[in-house]
PDB file of all heavy atoms in Angstrom:
ATOM      1  N   PHE A 424     210.730  66.580 -67.991  1.00 95.00           N
ATOM      2  CA  PHE A 424     211.213  66.947 -69.258  1.00 95.00           C
ATOM      3  C   PHE A 424     210.108  67.279 -70.269  1.00 95.00           C
ATOM      4  O   PHE A 424     210.195  68.300 -70.920  1.00 95.00           O
ATOM      5  CB  PHE A 424     212.112  65.700 -69.874  1.00 95.00           C
ATOM      6  CG  PHE A 424     212.777  66.096 -71.192  1.00 95.00           C
ATOM      7  CD1 PHE A 424     214.118  66.451 -71.286  1.00 95.00           C
ATOM      8  CD2 PHE A 424     212.085  65.978 -72.387  1.00 95.00           C
ATOM      9  CE1 PHE A 424     214.647  66.778 -72.472  1.00 95.00           C
ATOM     10  CE2 PHE A 424     212.676  66.257 -73.603  1.00 95.00           C
ATOM     11  CZ  PHE A 424     214.008  66.794 -73.608  1.00 95.00           C
ATOM     12  N   ALA A 425     209.022  66.415 -70.324  1.00 95.00           N
ATOM     13  CA  ALA A 425     208.011  66.670 -71.187  1.00 95.00           C
ATOM     14  C   ALA A 425     207.277  68.094 -70.730  1.00 95.00           C
ATOM     15  O   ALA A 425     206.914  68.848 -71.680  1.00 95.00           O
ATOM     16  CB  ALA A 425     206.952  65.489 -71.057  1.00 95.00           C
ATOM     17  N   ALA A 426     207.058  68.212 -69.536  1.00 94.00           N
ATOM     18  CA  ALA A 426     206.365  69.354 -69.169  1.00 94.00           C
ATOM     19  C   ALA A 426     207.058  70.690 -69.441  1.00 94.00           C
ATOM     20  O   ALA A 426     206.533  71.722 -70.009  1.00 94.00           O
ATOM     21  CB  ALA A 426     206.044  69.365 -67.708  1.00 94.00           C
ATOM     22  N   VAL A 427     208.389  70.824 -69.207  1.00 95.00           N
ATOM     23  CA  VAL A 427     209.226  71.963 -69.332  1.00 95.00           C
ATOM     24  C   VAL A 427     209.398  72.290 -70.728  1.00 95.00           C
ATOM     25  O   VAL A 427     209.216  73.342 -71.318  1.00 95.00           O
ATOM     26  CB  VAL A 427     210.547  71.947 -68.488  1.00 95.00           C
ATOM     27  CG1 VAL A 427     211.370  73.188 -68.824  1.00 95.00           C
ATOM     28  CG2 VAL A 427     210.238  71.932 -67.055  1.00 95.00           C
ATOM     29  N   PHE A 428     209.860  71.224 -71.506  1.00 93.00           N
ATOM     30  CA  PHE A 428     210.135  71.400 -72.905  1.00 93.00           C
ATOM     31  C   PHE A 428     208.896  71.815 -73.755  1.00 93.00           C
ATOM     32  O   PHE A 428     209.100  72.630 -74.738  1.00 93.00           O
ATOM     33  CB  PHE A 428     210.807  70.225 -73.509  1.00 93.00           C
ATOM     34  CG  PHE A 428     211.478  70.476 -74.816  1.00 93.00           C
ATOM     35  CD1 PHE A 428     212.682  71.137 -74.846  1.00 93.00           C
ATOM     36  CD2 PHE A 428     210.998  69.997 -76.010  1.00 93.00           C
ATOM     37  CE1 PHE A 428     213.419  71.412 -76.142  1.00 93.00           C
ATOM     38  CE2 PHE A 428     211.519  70.275 -77.330  1.00 93.00           C
ATOM     39  CZ  PHE A 428     212.735  70.955 -77.303  1.00 93.00           C
ATOM     40  N   SER A 429     207.824  71.215 -73.381  1.00 93.00           N
ATOM     41  CA  SER A 429     206.602  71.545 -74.158  1.00 93.00           C
ATOM     42  C   SER A 429     206.191  73.008 -73.976  1.00 93.00           C
ATOM     43  O   SER A 429     205.452  73.639 -74.681  1.00 93.00           O
ATOM     44  CB  SER A 429     205.502  70.612 -73.775  1.00 93.00           C
ATOM     45  OG  SER A 429     205.120  70.798 -72.424  1.00 93.00           O
ATOM     46  N   LYS A 430     206.613  73.611 -72.800  1.00 93.00           N
ATOM     47  CA  LYS A 430     206.217  74.927 -72.636  1.00 93.00           C
ATOM     48  C   LYS A 430     207.217  75.952 -73.148  1.00 93.00           C
ATOM     49  O   LYS A 430     207.056  77.000 -73.497  1.00 93.00           O
ATOM     50  CB  LYS A 430     206.052  75.197 -71.052  1.00 93.00           C
ATOM     51  CG  LYS A 430     204.804  74.412 -70.570  1.00 93.00           C
ATOM     52  CD  LYS A 430     204.584  74.675 -69.129  1.00 93.00           C
ATOM     53  CE  LYS A 430     203.415  73.822 -68.602  1.00 93.00           C
ATOM     54  NZ  LYS A 430     202.104  74.383 -69.166  1.00 93.00           N
ATOM     55  N   VAL A 431     208.589  75.576 -73.022  1.00 93.00           N
ATOM     56  CA  VAL A 431     209.626  76.492 -73.538  1.00 93.00           C
ATOM     57  C   VAL A 431     209.652  76.535 -74.954  1.00 93.00           C
ATOM     58  O   VAL A 431     209.887  77.585 -75.560  1.00 93.00           O
ATOM     59  CB  VAL A 431     210.941  75.950 -72.992  1.00 93.00           C
ATOM     60  CG1 VAL A 431     212.219  76.715 -73.680  1.00 93.00           C
ATOM     61  CG2 VAL A 431     210.972  76.140 -71.472  1.00 93.00           C
ATOM     62  N   GLN A 432     209.518  75.388 -75.763  1.00 93.00           N
ATOM     63  CA  GLN A 432     209.582  75.290 -77.175  1.00 93.00           C
ATOM     64  C   GLN A 432     208.634  76.462 -77.870  1.00 93.00           C
ATOM     65  O   GLN A 432     209.197  77.182 -78.700  1.00 93.00           O
ATOM     66  CB  GLN A 432     209.251  73.892 -77.681  1.00 93.00           C
ATOM     67  CG  GLN A 432     209.634  73.765 -79.134  1.00 93.00           C
ATOM     68  CD  GLN A 432     208.452  74.193 -80.039  1.00 93.00           C
ATOM     69  OE1 GLN A 432     207.339  74.138 -79.751  1.00 93.00           O
ATOM     70  NE2 GLN A 432     208.808  74.393 -81.410  1.00 93.00           N
ATOM     71  N   PRO A 433     207.375  76.597 -77.591  1.00 92.00           N
ATOM     72  CA  PRO A 433     206.599  77.643 -78.273  1.00 92.00           C
ATOM     73  C   PRO A 433     207.131  79.059 -77.833  1.00 92.00           C
ATOM     74  O   PRO A 433     206.959  79.951 -78.602  1.00 92.00           O
ATOM     75  CB  PRO A 433     205.121  77.420 -77.817  1.00 92.00           C
ATOM     76  CG  PRO A 433     205.333  76.457 -76.703  1.00 92.00           C
ATOM     77  CD  PRO A 433     206.521  75.624 -76.815  1.00 92.00           C
ATOM     78  N   MET A 434     207.527  79.193 -76.535  1.00 92.00           N
ATOM     79  CA  MET A 434     207.968  80.543 -76.189  1.00 92.00           C
ATOM     80  C   MET A 434     209.272  80.947 -77.044  1.00 92.00           C
ATOM     81  O   MET A 434     209.419  82.215 -77.315  1.00 92.00           O
ATOM     82  CB  MET A 434     208.360  80.559 -74.711  1.00 92.00           C
ATOM     83  CG  MET A 434     207.211  80.524 -73.689  1.00 92.00           C
ATOM     84  SD  MET A 434     207.680  80.975 -71.984  1.00 92.00           S
ATOM     85  CE  MET A 434     208.562  79.410 -71.695  1.00 92.00           C
ATOM     86  N   VAL A 435     209.958  79.943 -77.311  1.00 91.00           N
ATOM     87  CA  VAL A 435     211.220  80.367 -78.197  1.00 91.00           C
ATOM     88  C   VAL A 435     211.032  80.388 -79.607  1.00 91.00           C
ATOM     89  O   VAL A 435     211.349  81.354 -80.333  1.00 91.00           O
ATOM     90  CB  VAL A 435     212.467  79.346 -77.805  1.00 91.00           C
ATOM     91  CG1 VAL A 435     213.664  79.630 -78.691  1.00 91.00           C
ATOM     92  CG2 VAL A 435     212.775  79.539 -76.278  1.00 91.00           C
ATOM     93  N   PHE A 436     210.407  79.309 -80.080  1.00 89.00           N
ATOM     94  CA  PHE A 436     210.214  79.185 -81.570  1.00 89.00           C
ATOM     95  C   PHE A 436     208.806  79.435 -82.090  1.00 89.00           C
ATOM     96  O   PHE A 436     208.632  79.276 -83.352  1.00 89.00           O
ATOM     97  CB  PHE A 436     210.663  77.690 -81.977  1.00 89.00           C
ATOM     98  CG  PHE A 436     212.180  77.337 -81.567  1.00 89.00           C
ATOM     99  CD1 PHE A 436     212.467  76.560 -80.503  1.00 89.00           C
ATOM    100  CD2 PHE A 436     213.211  78.005 -82.367  1.00 89.00           C
ATOM    101  CE1 PHE A 436     213.791  76.322 -80.208  1.00 89.00           C
ATOM    102  CE2 PHE A 436     214.482  77.745 -81.996  1.00 89.00           C
ATOM    103  CZ  PHE A 436     214.787  76.760 -80.892  1.00 89.00           C
ATOM    104  N   GLY A 437     207.879  79.849 -81.309  1.00 81.00           N
ATOM    105  CA  GLY A 437     206.567  80.035 -81.752  1.00 81.00           C
ATOM    106  C   GLY A 437     206.366  81.177 -82.615  1.00 81.00           C
ATOM    107  O   GLY A 437     207.200  82.085 -82.794  1.00 81.00           O
ATOM    108  N   GLU A 438     205.270  81.329 -83.312  1.00 78.00           N
ATOM    109  CA  GLU A 438     204.970  82.398 -84.198  1.00 78.00           C
ATOM    110  C   GLU A 438     204.706  83.726 -83.428  1.00 78.00           C
ATOM    111  O   GLU A 438     204.042  83.642 -82.375  1.00 78.00           O
ATOM    112  CB  GLU A 438     203.704  82.138 -85.062  1.00 78.00           C
ATOM    113  CG  GLU A 438     203.799  80.844 -85.982  1.00 78.00           C
ATOM    114  CD  GLU A 438     204.819  81.189 -87.128  1.00 78.00           C
ATOM    115  OE1 GLU A 438     204.962  82.359 -87.447  1.00 78.00           O
ATOM    116  OE2 GLU A 438     205.534  80.352 -87.589  1.00 78.00           O
TER     117      GLU A 438
END
Side-chain angles (χ1 to χ4, degrees):
F424 185 96
V427 173
F428 193 75
S429 65
K430 293 179 182 296
V431 169
Q432 191 273 337
M434 285 193 291
V435 176
F436 299 105
E438 295 290 333

